[in-house]
Amino acid sequence: MSSVEYLCVHVFVSCKPGTEEAFLDASLENGRNSSKEEGVSRFDVIQQIDDPTKFVLVEVYKTPDAPAAHKETDHYKKWRETVADMMAEPRKAIKYRNKFPVTGGG
């Protein structure tokens, strides 16, 4: 079986103190909907233990085109607009290729 290297995007977010719950609610809604997209393998929303204003969105895409398709969805656009004023600083994304576990082709 051939393997496919999925695109993994880690989005680092610092939200303003006092907006953590609202940010989490909006991100969970976006994550639930994003997980249903054809090009999304998984979508994790994680919150830092010792600083609850810090989050990482772990987005795993099946194809190189999937992130652009994700950004065209209504749920992403709603999330982006909802959380815009909650950001303490611009969010930062780092892209990775998964090496393990191995994903099957097709």
Side-chain angles (χ1 to χ4, degrees):
M1 175 192 309
S2 64
S3 67
V4 177
E5 292 182 342
Y6 285 2
L7 173 62
C8 304
V9 182
H10 291 197
V11 180
F12 297 87
V13 176
S14 293
C15 63
K16 295 174 185 171
T19 66
E20 300 92 341
E21 287 303 315
F23 179 82
L24 180 59
D25 289 345
S27 297
L28 290 174
E29 180 181 347
N30 181 52
R32 287 184 193 106
N33 286 304
S34 298
S35 295
K36 298 174 187 174
E37 293 174 40
E38 181 66 29
V40 175
S41 176
R42 77 183 280 156
F43 196 106
D44 298 351
V45 178
I46 58 178
Q47 186 175 25
Q48 189 170 317
I49 292 171
D50 62 347
D51 184 350
T53 66
K54 308 282 192 213
F55 292 84
V56 180
L57 308 178
V58 181
E59 308 171 8
V60 182
Y61 296 100
K62 297 176 184 177
T63 67
D65 298 330
H70 167 66
K71 290 181 179 177
E72 293 301 318
T73 63
D74 289 339
H75 58 267
Y76 171 79
K77 291 175 184 176
K78 178 182 177 185
W79 174 84
R80 185 183 63 206
E81 182 177 317
T82 300
V83 303
D85 290 336
M86 297 178 198
M87 300 289 173
E89 61 189 32
R91 60 190 182 272
K92 299 173 187 141
I94 300 176
K95 296 178 181 177
Y96 303 88
R97 294 261 180 233
N98 79 298
K99 298 300 180 181
F100 184 86
V102 175
T103 56

